[in-house]
Amino acid sequence: NLIPLRAYAIYTRCVMSADAIDDEWWLAGEEEQPGAVQGRKRKAAAAVLAEEMGRTKQKKRRRKKSKLEDVTAQRGESFPSQHTRRRQQEELSLALQPQLKGRLTPVEADELKLKKSFFVDYTQLDSSDDDNNVPSLSAFVEGVYPDLHEKVKRLRSKGNPLVVVLAASAVRAVELKREITEIAGPHPIAKLFAKHVKIEDQSVFLSGHISPIGVGTPARLKQLLDMGALNSSELRLIVVDWHWRDQKLRRFCEIPELWQSFTELYLSHFHKLLTAKQTKLALF
């Protein structure tokens, strides 16, 4: 049987340790055959090996726990400190830089600079005595877009949402859809993600329904906008599920393929809406 290199190294040290033990300590005056002696040595070495491997696993668990503690510490930062225009302008700009580097001329890069005015006014959110109290998605959207309910009542355009929520995956999008259903009024929420939903079916749905809120992923959202199935002329708020982390503890901007899709969506559609002051951006 093949033994992993690390385990083999530990086993070798264990055997050497067993050889260093006085062979006669277990004889108690009774002579044993060489084969029995070697067998006892192997058992002793195996016991030490098991103990060493157990310690290694404990170290791995400690390292993983340490990483989780770091993430918890980051999440422990107060909600108000994470949600200011300046803070989010800096975070999003920093995350976009690697994607834009080498693709744009200095003039183009200057034109694509994020401005604080692109982001929602977080002072409209209800203050709380508990700074670590994170609002639900529906409460967050209502707080940063107080005119939402009136706009929903007057919305007549099909396939033309007022609010778009961007999630890291279809599974996460479904979770967010449940959280925000209560503020969509009598209208259905548009599912703008790929899993188990064909783009042709989404196109038909959008053409036949008034959906004030859409929840989806950047790649599918861009596809629908590119083909004209989704209209953005009424779009007033873009919410990015920024602080949520996946099983690998990665935020929205730390998942390479997802972030690439968001960058393409931002460059082709969102930036001009923000520049025209038609819509606002919020990192939830």
Side-chain angles (χ1 to χ4, degrees):
N1 295 329
L2 295 177
I3 302 175
L5 185 58
R6 178 174 176 78
Y8 179 76
I10 295 173
Y11 182 77
T12 302
R13 290 199 301 272
C14 294
V15 172
M16 292 175 67
S17 299
D19 285 340
I21 297 174
D22 183 1
D23 290 348
E24 297 181 354
W25 68 272
W26 62 73
L27 295 181
E30 183 179 343
E31 186 175 351
E32 294 194 23
Q33 296 297 319
V37 173
Q38 291 300 322
R40 290 181 181 277
K41 285 186 178 182
R42 282 195 295 272
K43 287 182 180 179
V48 178
L49 173 62
E51 185 177 352
E52 288 291 329
M53 295 302 290
R55 288 175 184 168
T56 301
K57 289 180 180 179
Q58 286 180 350
K59 287 179 182 178
K60 286 182 178 179
R61 282 196 292 269
R62 287 196 200 103
R63 283 197 293 270
K64 186 173 183 180
K65 183 178 179 182
S66 177
K67 187 175 182 181
L68 285 168
E69 286 171 350
D70 289 343
V71 171
T72 303
Q74 292 172 14
R75 286 178 174 173
E77 191 176 3
S78 69
F79 183 84
S81 68
Q82 290 178 336
H83 293 79
T84 67
R85 284 180 165 182
R86 179 176 293 279
R87 167 70 178 269
Q88 297 203 346
Q89 175 198 21
E90 292 173 352
E91 280 197 40
L92 187 55
S93 296
L94 186 63
L96 283 171
Q97 282 178 5
Q99 296 287 342
L100 303 179
K101 189 176 181 180
R103 295 176 52 177
L104 305 173
T105 65
V107 175
E108 290 172 331
D110 187 64
E111 290 176 351
L112 284 171
K113 279 185 178 178
L114 291 167
K115 300 176 182 178
K116 282 194 296 182
S117 60
F118 289 179
F119 296 86
V120 297
D121 181 7
Y122 290 105
T123 61
Q124 299 176 92
L125 283 172
D126 290 336
S127 59
S128 171
D129 294 334
D130 182 5
D131 284 345
N132 291 319
N133 182 32
V134 179
S136 65
L137 178 59
S138 57
F140 178 81
V141 171
E142 287 177 314
V144 298
Y145 188 10
D147 296 333
L148 175 64
H149 293 290
E150 288 301 317
K151 295 288 186 181
V152 168
K153 291 177 184 177
R154 295 200 296 267
L155 185 64
R156 296 291 180 268
S157 180
K158 296 177 181 178
N160 202 349
L162 298 165
V163 179
V164 163
V165 180
L166 291 174
S169 67
V171 173
R172 177 61 177 166
V174 171
E175 293 175 0
L176 294 175
K177 178 179 175 293
R178 293 195 192 105
E179 289 185 24
I180 206 169
T181 299
E182 62 189 67
I183 62 172
H187 307 291
I189 290 179
K191 301 176 185 177
L192 309 176
F193 48 84
K195 191 171 184 179
H196 305 312
V197 186
K198 294 180 179 179
I199 195 167
E200 295 81 8
D201 294 337
Q202 287 172 327
S203 180
V204 171
F205 173 87
L206 290 168
S207 66
H209 292 82
I210 295 174
S211 296
I213 300 174
V215 181
T217 54
R220 179 50 63 91
L221 191 70
K222 183 177 183 300
Q223 284 181 300
L224 291 166
L225 286 168
D226 288 345
M227 64 189 290
L230 183 67
N231 195 334
S232 61
S233 64
E234 295 288 347
L235 186 60
R236 296 295 180 266
L237 177 63
I238 302 163
V239 180
V240 182
D241 192 23
W242 188 261
H243 293 98
W244 178 82
R245 294 179 184 267
D246 66 5
Q247 292 182 340
K248 295 182 180 179
L249 307 178
R250 299 174 299 180
R251 292 189 305 165
F252 191 97
C253 63
E254 295 166 343
I255 305 172
E257 185 177 346
L258 171 68
W259 191 238
Q260 176 66 33
S261 297
F262 175 84
T263 303
E264 298 294 339
L265 175 61
Y266 178 83
L267 293 176
S268 59
H269 295 282
F270 287 170
H271 184 76
K272 61 185 177 184
L273 297 177
L274 294 164
T275 303
K277 299 181 181 180
Q278 173 190 312
T279 190
K280 295 286 185 180
L281 188 60
L283 307 183
F284 177 58

